Amino acid sequence: MNPLTERFSACLWIKRLQAGNGSPFAYNKYEIFMVDDGRYSGGLFGNYNLHGDRSSTFPPKGSWYSYCITWSLASGTSRIYINGKLVNAATTPSGRTLQTGGTLILGNYLPNGYHKFGGELYNFNMFSKELTATEVANLSTIGLCTEIPEHLEEFRVIRWEDILKLSRSGTVTDFVDPRCAAAEELQRTHVKLELAVTEKSDLELSLNKTKTELTEVGGLFNSTQEELVGVQRDLEATQRELNETKVELEDTKLDLEDTKSELKNVSDSRCALVKGNLTKWDIFYTPDYYNKIFTRRLYQQLRESWDSLSSQLFGVTMTDKIIKLIKNLDDEQNCGEL
């Protein structure tokens, strides 16, 4: 079903420049029509029943005024508004709906008819809704060059901007009212401003995001620096341990050299025992006495140790007994040629 069949509103701006009974618009000849003959003559469904008078309240020739006709099957009433004010109303036949398949004409009510309109028309729109008195008044108040309110856009089924794309016949000239040109420029500026505000908001969001990322990177960098400092401390501690180990190794090497020398002395002493050349001085050529300054006290100590050992050998020859003791320690050690 056509959205205009049971309800509609047709609104436009009109400026009459020539006298006569020209028709600013008509649909399907007399289905909807308007005649601007110095009063608001018009009708609906073929009934020429919406008339006004030529009172001083009707807009004079050469001035813009808003015109709206509204109707719905539910209300059964057609209404005409001039500059947002209701000027007439009429009852329509019960059950009568708007016929579809007709032709909408601007500037006449018949192709090549004699009701040619001499003047200017602007911003013609049809809505699939019976506009309220408040909505009609608002359309008039916002002015000639203002866009249709957003809440009415869903009901706008015939659009002025689409009409401008259609072909023309007769003497028709496109024009731009200076006020509308300024309004359009202002609207374009407003759109650019809104776009700039949106871009600024996006840039601010991007900047804040970048700042957050930089903060996170800074935190990661600081954390990495702390880890590097910790690794550096560990490396320094490891280096100190390595140096200490080197020193310990050097000390151990020296101890090994000393031990090797002592073992050689012991080995020489053992070989001396085996060869029978051991004396009481050789027996005590051990680390306990090695490199000690030979004093009377040390001599006395050596004598006492030798005498104590001698008393434990029960009269056995000292040299033979000690040789046996040392041989028992390592039967496999070879002293070379005896």
Side-chain angles (χ1 to χ4, degrees):
M1 179 182 293
N2 190 299
L4 301 176
T5 301
E6 296 184 355
R7 65 193 63 83
F8 76 85
S9 297
C11 298
L12 76 161
W13 287 81
I14 303 171
K15 180 164 69 171
R16 184 165 54 94
L17 299 176
Q18 297 177 1
N21 58 349
S23 176
F25 74 94
Y27 168 69
N28 204 18
K29 193 176 180 181
Y30 295 119
E31 191 73 3
I32 307 172
F33 66 95
M34 176 195 178
V35 175
D36 185 357
D37 57 357
R39 57 178 183 167
Y40 43 86
S41 299
L44 185 64
F45 305 148
N47 295 320
Y48 193 61
N49 55 3
L50 293 174
H51 298 285
D53 56 17
R54 291 178 175 83
S55 66
S56 59
T57 59
F58 191 80
K61 185 175 67 173
S63 63
W64 283 103
Y65 66 93
S66 65
Y67 177 95
C68 283
I69 179 171
T70 68
W71 167 84
S72 73
L73 178 63
S75 68
T77 303
S78 59
R79 296 177 176 87
I80 288 182
Y81 297 83
I82 299 293
N83 287 333
K85 296 180 179 181
L86 178 65
V87 293
N88 205 345
T91 302
T92 57
S94 177
R96 178 69 156 84
T97 59
L98 185 69
Q99 295 180 0
T100 60
T103 301
L104 175 66
I105 299 175
L106 299 184
N108 210 329
Y109 74 93
L110 280 176
N112 300 318
Y114 64 92
H115 286 291
K116 295 179 180 178
F117 174 74
E120 297 176 352
L121 305 177
Y122 195 80
N123 213 13
F124 179 93
N125 295 279
M126 285 194 74
F127 304 87
S128 60
K129 162 181 210 286
E130 182 182 21
L131 296 179
T132 66
T134 301
E135 289 171 332
V136 172
N138 184 52
L139 286 176
S140 176
T141 301
I142 59 179
L144 170 72
C145 305
T146 309
E147 295 182 353
I148 299 300
E150 186 175 353
H151 73 281
L152 292 180
E153 277 294 340
E154 62 176 304
F155 303 105
R156 194 161 66 115
V157 294
I158 297 180
R159 302 167 182 266
W160 176 245
E161 53 267 35
D162 296 331
I163 292 175
L164 294 177
K165 299 175 184 177
L166 300 177
S167 60
R168 282 89 158 155
S169 63
T171 306
V172 179
T173 304
D174 290 347
F175 74 96
V176 177
D177 188 276
R179 292 172 297 172
C180 295
E184 290 175 0
E185 182 62 29
L186 181 62
Q187 179 64 23
R188 286 193 292 269
T189 303
H190 181 69
V191 171
K192 291 179 181 179
L193 180 60
E194 288 183 342
L195 181 61
V197 171
T198 301
E199 291 177 350
K200 178 184 176 183
S201 178
D202 292 342
L203 287 174
E204 288 177 348
L205 289 175
S206 179
L207 179 61
N208 291 334
K209 182 179 178 181
T210 302
K211 286 181 179 180
T212 301
E213 291 174 351
L214 286 175
T215 300
E216 293 174 353
V217 170
L220 181 61
F221 177 75
N222 293 335
S223 176
T224 303
Q225 270 196 323
E226 292 175 358
E227 292 177 1
L228 287 175
V229 171
V231 170
Q232 183 65 31
R233 285 197 299 265
D234 293 342
L235 287 175
E236 292 174 354
T238 301
Q239 185 63 44
R240 288 194 297 270
E241 292 176 359
L242 181 61
N243 293 336
E244 292 173 358
T245 302
K246 286 182 178 180
V247 173
E248 292 175 357
L249 286 174
E250 291 295 330
D251 293 341
T252 301
K253 183 177 180 180
L254 293 175
D255 292 341
L256 287 174
E257 291 294 332
D258 292 342
T259 302
K260 182 178 179 180
S261 177
E262 292 171 2
L263 288 174
K264 184 177 183 303
N265 293 333
V266 171
S267 178
D268 290 344
S269 298
R270 178 182 172 225
C271 291
L273 285 172
V274 174
K275 295 175 182 180
N277 298 326
L278 187 66
T279 67
K280 62 182 178 181
W281 312 114
D282 294 323
I283 286 294
F284 293 101
Y285 190 67
T286 62
D288 291 336
Y289 300 97
Y290 187 65
N291 287 337
K292 287 188 177 182
I293 299 175
F294 192 77
T295 61
R296 180 178 295 278
R297 182 176 179 182
L298 181 57
Y299 172 75
Q300 185 64 31
Q301 182 179 356
L302 288 171
R303 260 183 87 85
E304 291 174 357
S305 298
W306 178 267
D307 293 340
S308 174
L309 182 58
S310 298
S311 64
Q312 298 176 18
L313 297 178
F314 305 103
V316 180
T317 302
M318 176 65 67
T319 301
D320 293 339
K321 184 63 175 178
I322 293 176
I323 288 174
K324 290 178 181 180
L325 290 173
I326 295 176
K327 279 186 175 183
N328 289 335
L329 295 175
D330 190 359
D331 292 335
E332 296 181 359
Q333 185 168 347
N334 182 13
C335 290
E337 297 181 1
L338 297 177

